[in-house]
Amino acid sequence: MERSPGQRGWYLSARWQRDEEADEDGESAPLLPPPPPAGSDTPSRGSSFGFSVFNLMNAIMGSGILGLSYAMANTGIMGFSILLLIVASLASYSVFLLLSMCTQTAVTSYEDLGLFAFGSTGKVLVATTIIIQNIGAMSSYLLIVKSELPGAVAGFLNGDESGFSNRSWYLDGRLLLLLTSVCIVFPLALLPKIGFLGYTSSLSFFFMVYFALVVMIKKWSIPCPLPLSSAIETLQVSNSTGDCKAKLFHLSKESVYAIPTMAFSFLCHTSVLPIYCELRSPSKRRMQYVTVTGIGLSCLIYFMSALFGYLTFYDKVDSELLQGYSRYLPHDTVMVTVKVAVLFAVLLTVPLIHFPARKAVLMVFFCHLPVSWICHILVTLTLNTIVVLFAMYVPDIKNVFGVVGSTTSTCLLFIYPGLFYLKLSREDFLSPQKLGACALVIFGICVGLLSLVLIIFNWVDQ
């Protein structure tokens, strides 16, 4: 029987109070009904621990891996390591807070958690943040298409992208972006249910791991100092003495992009609760083990790819790492396969990211209208148009990582989990968990605002 909003709120409050009385710390309180007993004809429901870790890592890893070497180049190896560890630890802690609230309230989505904490305003705020975050994520993926597809095409044609891109339409990045968006991304995004893309987009995780392995191997294929391509570069290198020396700590105006890029790279919180619901014998402690394992392994892959990318190009590393390999290994067969793999992953992942963005738009702006194909198509077309325009005219992927990472990513990663916990938890304010939630909110606000202000100042100063 369908409950009214008032009945549902009363039911969730009663469920929360009952769970608190039955299990104060919520460590073993199940969100879903227990699995069927042994010998039952009913099959066991839920994903295994290993498969849940894989799903979480697949939700974590994405285009952010291409910008971490640039972040290391502008913070130094030790500086990057410390910041990466801090962001990964806080991401894991914020998931712990979400799981605590999920166990206590029986809410299974980020938007509903906002509704439970702050009413309809909270739900709209979370949904709007998810829309902006997903638009930024899709734009970052299509920026990869714009920058890497011409090089992949040139590699297959055994030509040099820089040699005839001006007179060959099939090497124009913007035109290729538009064609792939119209012919591939938009039709896939139009599908009302794109569950099958969940399986194919899982390949993107393996492609990112493949990318990290190739970055580690190719470090030995590019000499240092880097090969020179012009007299200007020769003069620049002759006046520089630190091109092949790694820095442990480094601070520059570009360092401001480091934490936003990391926040962008670790954001998986909109997927945590659905993964929790699908976990076999779900409990907060079991899901926390999944979270720590998934974030820990992702952190290791991120660090290794960033380290070897930095040790390959040093201070000449690009904000999008693949561009460096396009410049110095334009016809390398392995790098061409990496580009194709990443592009394939991008084209199948963008429609998947589009799906929750469209759902949030319909929920916020068109919830009063009946479901219709016209509305479905118009929202899909509008979102895709916005994403393509961003990808076409944003000059650098670091701008997407910086702006989105310092705003929506910090909100979803740090601020909202802390705020929701402070609002919903009945613990004393001086309890360790509430103090930790308060610190998480303060960290998110300070880092987000400071990063955004410095990024804008950096734009104005250029």
Side-chain angles (χ1 to χ4, degrees):
M1 182 179 68
E2 185 69 22
R3 294 182 174 89
S4 68
Q7 291 174 321
R8 183 173 182 272
W10 175 88
Y11 167 77
L12 292 177
S13 298
R15 165 69 184 271
W16 183 6
Q17 184 176 4
R18 186 188 69 219
D19 285 346
E20 277 193 332
E21 292 171 353
D23 186 355
E24 274 190 325
D25 63 1
E27 290 294 331
S28 58
L31 176 64
L32 300 178
S40 172
D41 293 335
T42 305
S44 177
R45 177 176 62 180
S47 302
S48 65
F49 178 88
F51 196 73
S52 297
V53 171
F54 167 76
N55 284 339
L56 185 63
M57 293 181 68
N58 186 40
I60 294 172
M61 299 190 67
S63 57
I65 196 174
L66 300 178
L68 291 176
S69 292
Y70 185 77
M72 180 177 283
N74 289 285
T75 54
I77 295 177
M78 290 301 299
F80 176 89
S81 303
I82 294 171
L83 292 176
L84 189 71
L85 185 60
I86 290 174
V87 173
S89 300
L90 292 179
S92 181
Y93 179 68
S94 64
V95 170
F96 171 78
L97 297 182
L98 287 178
L99 294 176
S100 299
M101 292 177 285
C102 180
T103 299
Q104 293 174 347
T105 63
V107 168
T108 58
S109 75
Y110 213 140
E111 295 93 334
D112 285 338
L113 200 55
L115 174 65
F116 197 86
F118 295 103
S120 57
T121 302
K123 185 173 184 177
V124 170
L125 184 62
V126 172
T128 304
T129 307
I130 291 175
I131 292 170
I132 299 173
Q133 170 68 33
N134 286 11
I135 287 176
M138 289 186 285
S139 299
S140 71
Y141 278 116
L142 292 185
L143 270 167
I144 297 171
V145 173
K146 183 181 74 173
S147 62
E148 298 302 331
L149 188 54
V153 172
F156 278 115
L157 297 176
N158 293 321
D160 185 358
E161 177 188 355
S162 62
F164 47 89
S165 58
N166 292 331
R167 58 186 177 87
S168 304
W169 66 268
Y170 48 83
L171 294 179
D172 186 331
R174 290 184 178 179
L175 182 58
L176 291 177
L177 168 62
L178 183 61
L179 289 175
T180 53
S181 298
V182 171
C183 299
I184 300 176
V185 176
F186 182 67
L188 291 176
L190 271 177
L191 298 176
K193 294 182 179 180
I194 53 175
F196 77 96
L197 285 179
Y199 298 99
T200 54
S201 69
S202 297
L203 292 174
S204 65
F205 168 76
F206 294 105
F207 291 150
M208 293 303 171
V209 174
Y210 174 54
F211 165 79
L213 291 174
V214 171
V215 167
M216 295 169 63
I217 294 171
K218 288 299 178 181
K219 187 260 180 292
W220 318 109
S221 299
I222 298 179
C224 190
L226 295 172
L228 305 177
S229 59
S230 68
I232 297 177
E233 284 191 29
T234 304
L235 180 61
Q236 290 175 341
V237 172
S238 65
N239 293 331
S240 175
T241 59
D243 288 339
C244 297
K245 184 178 180 180
K247 299 174 183 177
L248 295 181
F249 292 96
H250 180 61
L251 188 64
S252 70
K253 64 179 183 179
E254 300 296 314
S255 303
V256 68
Y257 291 96
I259 291 183
T261 302
M262 294 176 189
F264 188 96
S265 302
F266 277 105
L267 186 63
C268 59
H269 293 49
T270 55
S271 302
V272 164
L273 299 186
I275 292 174
Y276 183 16
C277 294
E278 295 173 3
L279 180 64
R280 189 177 302 158
S281 302
S283 68
K284 187 172 72 174
R285 178 180 286 114
R286 183 172 169 81
M287 186 60 197
Q288 188 65 20
Y289 291 152
V290 170
T291 301
V292 171
T293 304
I295 291 180
L297 291 175
S298 299
C299 185
L300 178 62
I301 295 173
Y302 278 160
F303 177 77
M304 296 305 293
S305 62
L307 176 64
F308 280 88
Y310 172 56
L311 294 179
T312 300
F313 301 105
Y314 294 95
D315 56 344
K316 298 297 189 297
V317 67
D318 288 276
S319 58
E320 196 267 85
L321 186 57
L322 281 175
Q323 292 181 359
Y325 296 101
S326 299
R327 185 179 303 111
Y328 296 106
L329 296 174
H331 308 303
D332 186 89
T333 303
V334 175
M335 291 311 304
V336 171
T337 63
V338 169
K339 288 182 182 180
V340 172
V342 171
L343 289 170
F344 179 76
V346 163
L347 292 176
L348 290 180
T349 303
V350 169
L352 197 66
I353 301 175
H354 180 278
F355 188 78
R358 180 179 61 218
K359 179 182 176 182
V361 170
L362 293 173
M363 182 185 69
V364 172
F365 299 104
F366 304 101
C367 59
H368 59 287
L369 298 179
V371 178
S372 68
W373 268 103
I374 295 178
C375 187
H376 177 90
I377 294 173
L378 289 178
V379 172
T380 303
L381 179 62
T382 302
L383 282 174
N384 275 274
T385 301
I386 293 172
V387 170
V388 170
L389 288 175
F390 271 125
M392 278 189 171
Y393 295 105
V394 171
D396 201 323
I397 198 171
K398 72 178 182 183
N399 296 325
V400 176
F401 293 153
V403 174
V404 177
S406 62
T407 54
T408 56
S409 295
T410 55
C411 285
L412 295 170
L413 194 66
F414 305 125
I415 299 174
Y416 291 169
L419 278 179
F420 294 165
Y421 193 86
L422 291 173
K423 174 69 175 180
L424 296 176
S425 177
R426 297 180 181 180
E427 298 174 1
D428 184 77
F429 184 77
L430 296 179
S431 65
Q433 295 301 340
K434 274 208 167 181
L435 289 176
C438 186
L440 195 66
V441 172
I442 294 173
F443 176 84
I445 293 175
C446 292
V447 169
L449 286 177
L450 180 63
S451 298
L452 183 61
V453 169
L454 291 177
I455 287 170
I456 294 175
F457 180 79
N458 194 18
W459 291 348
V460 174
D461 191 48
Q462 286 179 350

